[in-house]
Structures are given as structure tokens and as C-alpha cells.
Amino acid sequence: MTNKIKVARVEKGLTQSQLAQRVKATRQTIGLIEKGKYNPSLNLCISIARELDKTLDDLFWEEL
């Protein structure tokens, strides 16, 4: 999960602060999500996926 969000964010040309502002979160929250140290709510996951033009599966599904 961690690298998928960061990669998608960078591909969109967004900083952590810009993404955070768009999804009504803090930059620190985005950083913790990217590091895998914070489990976001479903609503926040959906907001992040929409902003990054990805599906929830694209960002949060872990391959076994």
C-alpha cells in the first residue's frame, strides 16, 4: 500500500501538502499513510483514490 500511494501521487505531480489539501487531511497524515503507519478511514481512502484517478484496488489491494 505505502509505495502505491506515493507513486500515484508523484505521477500526478502532487506534493503531500497538495494532496492533503485536496482530501481535507494534513500533510502529516498523508506521510504516515504512505509509510504504512496510519490506517485511513474508508472515506479518506475513497477521496485519495479519486484525487489520484485510481481505484481503491489500485492503491490499497495487497498482492499475496
Side-chain angles (χ1 to χ4, degrees):
M1 172 176 83
T2 58
N3 292 331
K4 291 180 184 180
I5 295 171
K6 183 175 182 177
V7 168
R9 176 180 58 77
V10 171
E11 285 176 352
K12 287 283 286 188
L14 297 173
T15 65
Q16 286 182 346
S17 295
Q18 289 169 325
L19 178 58
Q21 186 176 26
R22 292 180 181 199
V23 299
K24 296 179 176 58
T26 65
R27 184 204 53 80
Q28 291 86 352
T29 297
I30 299 300
L32 290 172
I33 292 168
E34 288 182 355
K35 291 179 183 178
K37 296 186 177 190
Y38 179 80
N39 288 322
S41 68
L42 180 57
N43 286 337
L44 183 53
C45 290
I46 291 168
S47 294
I48 291 170
R50 284 184 180 154
E51 283 300 323
L52 298 177
D53 296 323
K54 300 288 184 182
T55 66
L56 290 175
D57 284 350
D58 291 339
L59 296 177
F60 298 101
W61 185 261
E62 292 190 23
E63 303 283 327
L64 297 178

